[in-house]
Each structure stands twice: as C-alpha cells, then as structure tokens.
C-alpha cells in the first residue's frame, strides 16, 4: 500500500528481552517520527529523523531505547531489556520536510505496533 | 509550545453538526492551529489546520476567533465513523527550531450516536 507500514502489529515479550519494531515510511517522505501511546494516554514524542541530519532523540525515555534509519527510508526502534512500563502502542509517522505551515508538513501515521511486556 | 485545552468528551447525534472547541489562549502570532483525529486502534489522521482565517476542506471546517485564543472544529454532518479522539495542536509556522514536532494532549473523545 501507499501508507506508512509498521511491523509487527502485535508483539508480546517477556521482561528483559530485546525487541525491534520496524517502520516503512511513505516513499519520498524525508521526515520520520516515532511516538509512543500508553493505555488511555496521549501520544508521546520519541524521536525524529530528517534526511541526513542528526536525529532529534530528545523524547527517548531511557538509554534502553534507540532508533536508526537506514538509507533514509526504513527505520527500526529497538528497546533493550524491556520492562513492563514499556508496554504501549508505538506509532511511526512520516512526512515531507516541514517548511513551515504548509500542509506538506502533514504527518501520516501507521497503524502502530502494540507491545506487551509480561 | 502553547498549550491547548479541550473538553474530555462530547456527544453528537448522527447527521447533526459536531462542534469541537479548543482554547489556546497563549498562542503566539507565528503558530498554527492543527487538528488531528484518532479512530480507535488506528494512528492519528490529519484533518485541517489554519493560522487566522477560517478554513474548510472535504473533512471539516475550522473557525478561529479574531483574537486567535480559541477555535472550533466543525464536522457538518457527523456519521458513526466520526467517533474518535480529536486533538487540537498548536505548531510554530517556521521551519526552524522543533516546529516539526507535534505535541499531542489528551484530546476530546467525540461519540456520534445513532
């Protein structure tokens, strides 16, 4: 499809295990975002990639969280030594480079990856 | 970022107009008002945005008060599929700083009833 694709859609893991979540952005979008949504909560910004610029990692909650974006396209969010409080829906979004006010800066979100840590 | 205030929940009858308010009293002159919605178990979806003039598209209308301290999102003929959480977000107009980032609050849960 033409939208943002995320995998897996659901992941159940045991406390202490590492997990990887994948995001395929819309072709041509240079900006990529990761957000987290815990049960009943709003969306929490995690990280932002734009082209070859250094990513904005200001939202990552701990050093157990990391993300990379290879070739300016696919991104992987990695959570090491998962904890129960990491349980959430992880949402990826992509957009054209935000040039200020333009609708081209609209974020397109994927369906999310639901992570459950037992 | 300027903060927004929205009611926690609202109800609307199917076929009627849904008017969702948002207060953003600390908005600055170079900040847009954006609206997104999130249908259950889906990612958020862009609806509309505006600076100071009223805006309309195929999904909704956005009415911004003259002082820009509040706005209303209008769904003219709500359907059951419009049941969702609606987020009002303020975002800087310039490409610099961290204006690329959208800061989501709790939003308004709109329930459209048959």
């Amino acid at each position: 499809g033409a939208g943002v694709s995320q995998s897996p859609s659901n992941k159940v893991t045991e406390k202490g295990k590492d997990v990887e979540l994948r995001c395929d952005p819309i072709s041509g979008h240079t900006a990529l975002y990761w957000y987290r949504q815990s049960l009943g909560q709003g969306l929490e910004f995690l990280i932002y990639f734009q082209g070859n610029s250094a990513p904005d990692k200001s939202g990552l909650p701990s050093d157990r969280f990391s993300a990379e974006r290879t070739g300016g396209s696919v991104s992987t969010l990695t959570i090491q030594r998962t904890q129960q409080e990491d349980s959430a829906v992880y949402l990826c979004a992509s957009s054209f480079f935000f040039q200020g006010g333009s609708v081209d800066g609209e974020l397109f979100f994927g369906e999310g990856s639901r992570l459950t840590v037992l | 970022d300027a903060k927004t205030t929205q009611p926690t929940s609202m109800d609307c009858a199917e076929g009627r107009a849904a008017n969702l308010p948002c207060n953003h009293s600390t908005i600055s002159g170079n900040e847009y008002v954006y609206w997104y919605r999130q249908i259950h178990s889906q990612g958020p979806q862009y609806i509309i945005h505006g600076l100071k003039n009223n805006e309309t598209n195929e999904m909704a209308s956005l009415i911004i008060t003259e002082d820009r301290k509040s706005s209303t999102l209008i769904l003219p003929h709500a359907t059951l599929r419009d049941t969702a959480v609606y987020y009002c977000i303020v975002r800087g107009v310039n490409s610099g700083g961290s204006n690329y980032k959208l800061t989501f609050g709790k939003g308004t849960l709109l329930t459209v009833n048959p």
Side-chain angles (χ1 to χ4, degrees):
Chain A
V4 176
S5 178
Q6 293 188 244
S7 61
S9 54
N10 279 286
K11 175 71 175 180
V12 180
T13 191
E14 294 179 346
K15 177 181 173 181
K17 295 286 180 67
D18 297 351
V19 296
E20 285 189 350
L21 307 176
R22 176 188 168 103
C23 173
D24 277 287
I26 292 173
S27 178
H29 281 182
T30 57
L32 187 146
Y33 304 72
W34 284 98
Y35 281 82
R36 175 170 74 172
Q37 188 169 32
S38 301
L39 186 63
Q41 301 298 310
L43 279 79
E44 174 188 7
F45 169 80
L46 297 179
I47 189 169
Y48 165 79
F49 296 91
Q50 166 51 41
N52 296 320
S53 302
D56 175 358
K57 303 180 182 180
S58 61
L60 295 178
S62 77
D63 59 8
R64 295 187 296 103
F65 288 72
S66 63
E68 63 177 20
R69 189 178 185 192
T70 54
S73 182
V74 172
S75 177
T76 301
L77 177 69
T78 301
I79 309 173
Q80 296 178 308
R81 304 181 302 281
T82 53
Q83 304 294 312
Q84 288 182 332
E85 60 263 28
D86 299 334
S87 296
V89 176
Y90 290 82
L91 289 154
C92 176
S94 70
S95 75
F96 291 111
F97 175 60
F98 178 65
Q99 301 187 59
S102 165
V103 72
D104 285 347
E106 169 191 347
L107 274 63
F108 291 82
F109 283 83
E111 298 287 294
S113 292
R114 180 177 298 278
L115 174 65
T116 302
V117 182
L118 302 177
Chain B
D1 289 347
K3 293 185 178 179
T4 62
T5 305
Q6 300 178 252
T8 302
S9 63
M10 294 183 66
D11 285 280
C12 177
E14 188 178 18
R16 304 297 292 270
N19 297 282
L20 292 96
C22 179
N23 287 321
H24 30 79
S25 58
T26 61
I27 194 170
S28 67
N30 62 351
E31 290 179 312
Y32 274 77
V33 179
Y34 278 73
W35 283 83
Y36 278 72
R37 74 178 183 183
Q38 187 174 23
I39 295 170
H40 183 62
S41 296
Q42 296 184 21
Q45 173 192 25
Y46 167 83
I47 301 173
I48 199 167
H49 76 288
L51 184 62
K52 53 184 177 182
N53 297 321
N54 298 338
E55 302 288 344
T56 296
N57 63 20
E58 65 278 5
M59 289 184 69
S61 294
L62 174 60
I63 308 298
I64 302 174
T65 58
E66 191 170 344
D67 64 7
R68 302 186 67 244
K69 293 182 183 298
S70 66
S71 60
T72 301
L73 179 75
I74 301 173
L75 308 179
H77 305 287
T79 70
L80 298 180
R81 290 175 295 178
D82 291 321
T83 292
V85 176
Y86 288 76
Y87 297 99
C88 171
I89 301 165
V90 169
R91 188 189 203 186
V93 302
N94 301 316
S95 60
S98 61
N99 289 332
Y100 49 79
K101 189 188 306 184
L102 292 181
T103 301
F104 290 81
K106 296 289 181 67
T108 297
L109 173 60
L110 174 69
T111 302
V112 180
N113 300 304

